[in-house]
């Protein structure tokens, strides 16, 4: 949201009437999401490994058996270098793009729609809350398929060269899931996804709006006359 805020505060995302320009909202929101997701990919990779890890009696699927975050980073780097730490990072790009666009654009459009009604025009907190609720639903529904694909790619076993043993590429993963589990498989976990991202989105976006309002109050920007 930092990239989105940077562009929004400079009027890049809206027309002269203050209406959101859709393609600019998509491009800026998606670009910011990709940047954040890509550079955090090594930590997301290890998080996926650790969450999937269980004791032998109940273990399901491939187990990476990391002892800790630090040792996981060290071992992956020792075996496969920087490339190993960024394995699956390409799969995070569609997830980040779609998730960021869905969350931020739906939030902005929902607020813009609510502000058409006089009742909401002096209720900034309520407008932000309702807009962020829409953002939470949108990101959960839109991002779940991409999140599932990324998780499968992150958590698969690798050979000596660091290549995945189960899926050879992003599209190979998509097709194997579709052929073996059906289209509904892409929405496995959508309920838990919303329970995680719904509150997260509400808190983040409401605080974002409130902090922006405080910033504008105490650090007003001078009007630049053309």
């Amino acid at each position: 949201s930092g990239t989105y805020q940077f562009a929004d505060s400079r009027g890049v995302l809206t027309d002269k009437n203050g209406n959101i320009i859709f393609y600019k909202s998509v491009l800026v929101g998606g670009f910011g999401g990709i940047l954040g997701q890509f550079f955090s990919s090594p930590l997301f990779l290890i998080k996926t490994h650790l969450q999937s890890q269980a004791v032998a009696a109940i273990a399901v699927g491939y187990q990476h058996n990391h002892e800790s975050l630090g040792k996981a980073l060290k071992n992956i780097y020792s075996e496969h270098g920087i490339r190993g730490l960024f394995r699956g990072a390409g799969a995070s790009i569609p997830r980040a793009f779609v998730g960021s666009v869905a969350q931020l654009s739906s939030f902005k459009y929902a607020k813009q729609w609510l502000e058409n009604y006089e009742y909401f025009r002096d209720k900034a907190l309520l407008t932000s809350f309702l807009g962020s609720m829409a953002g939470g639903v949108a990101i959960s529904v839109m991002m779940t398929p991409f999140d599932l694909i990324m998780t499968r790619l992150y958590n698969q076993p690798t050979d000596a060269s660091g290549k995945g043993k189960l899926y050879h590429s992003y599209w190979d993963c998509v097709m194997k899931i579709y052929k073996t589990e059906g289209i509904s498989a892409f929405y496995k976990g959508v309920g838990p996804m919303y329970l995680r991202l719904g509150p997260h989105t509400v808190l983040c976006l409401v605080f974002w709006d409130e902090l922006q309002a405080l910033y504008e109050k105490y650090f007003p920007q001078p009007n630049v006359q053309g």
Side-chain angles (χ1 to χ4, degrees):
S1 59
T3 304
Y4 197 89
Q5 174 60 41
F6 181 85
D8 192 29
S9 63
R10 286 159 178 76
V12 173
L13 305 181
T14 54
D15 60 23
K16 61 182 181 181
N17 297 318
N19 297 315
I20 300 166
I21 302 172
F22 180 72
Y23 81 90
K24 289 186 177 181
S25 179
V26 168
L27 291 176
V28 173
F31 178 71
I34 287 171
L35 283 179
Q37 180 71 63
F38 183 81
F39 287 108
S40 66
S41 184
L43 297 177
F44 209 98
L45 172 73
I46 295 169
K47 182 214 71 147
T48 303
H49 290 178
L50 291 172
Q51 287 184 333
S52 302
Q53 196 167 297
V55 296
I58 60 171
V60 176
Y62 187 77
Q63 302 286 294
H64 289 270
N65 297 316
H66 299 310
E67 295 180 24
S68 66
L69 171 62
K71 288 185 177 180
L73 288 168
K74 180 180 178 182
N75 291 339
I76 294 173
Y77 178 77
S78 298
E79 292 180 20
H80 306 297
I82 291 293
R83 186 176 180 179
L85 290 172
F86 280 89
R87 182 175 63 82
S92 72
I93 291 175
R95 174 189 182 274
F97 184 89
V98 170
S100 183
V101 169
Q103 182 188 58
L104 294 173
S105 294
S106 60
F107 171 62
K108 284 292 189 177
Y109 272 107
K111 284 179 52 183
Q112 181 175 281
W113 180 76
L114 289 170
E115 287 166 358
N116 288 326
Y117 297 91
E118 187 175 351
Y119 178 79
F120 292 100
R121 289 174 189 166
D122 60 347
K123 296 178 175 61
L125 182 58
L126 177 60
T127 304
S128 294
F129 176 77
L130 294 175
S132 63
M133 289 285 286
V137 172
I139 188 176
S140 301
V141 171
M142 296 298 295
M143 196 169 74
T144 293
F146 300 94
D147 192 71
L148 180 132
I149 295 163
M150 187 189 70
T151 299
R152 298 285 182 95
L153 289 169
Y154 272 175
N155 201 49
Q156 68 175 321
T158 58
D159 60 21
S161 65
K163 293 182 179 180
K165 291 183 177 180
L166 300 178
Y167 309 111
H168 304 303
S169 66
Y170 188 92
W171 289 111
D172 182 53
C173 180
V174 171
M175 294 309 298
K176 283 180 176 176
I177 293 172
Y178 174 72
K179 289 178 180 179
T180 59
E181 302 172 61
I183 194 71
S184 62
F186 292 101
Y187 275 91
K188 286 181 177 179
V190 66
M193 175 73 81
Y194 175 72
L195 292 177
R196 179 177 79 87
L197 288 177
H200 166 85
T201 299
V202 169
L203 289 172
C204 282
L205 297 182
V206 168
F207 274 108
W208 177 28
D209 264 3
E210 290 300 300
L211 290 171
Q212 182 181 353
L214 287 173
Y215 182 84
E216 291 173 354
K217 178 180 179 180
Y218 291 106
F219 301 98
Q221 299 299 306
N223 292 322
V224 179
Q225 300 296 327

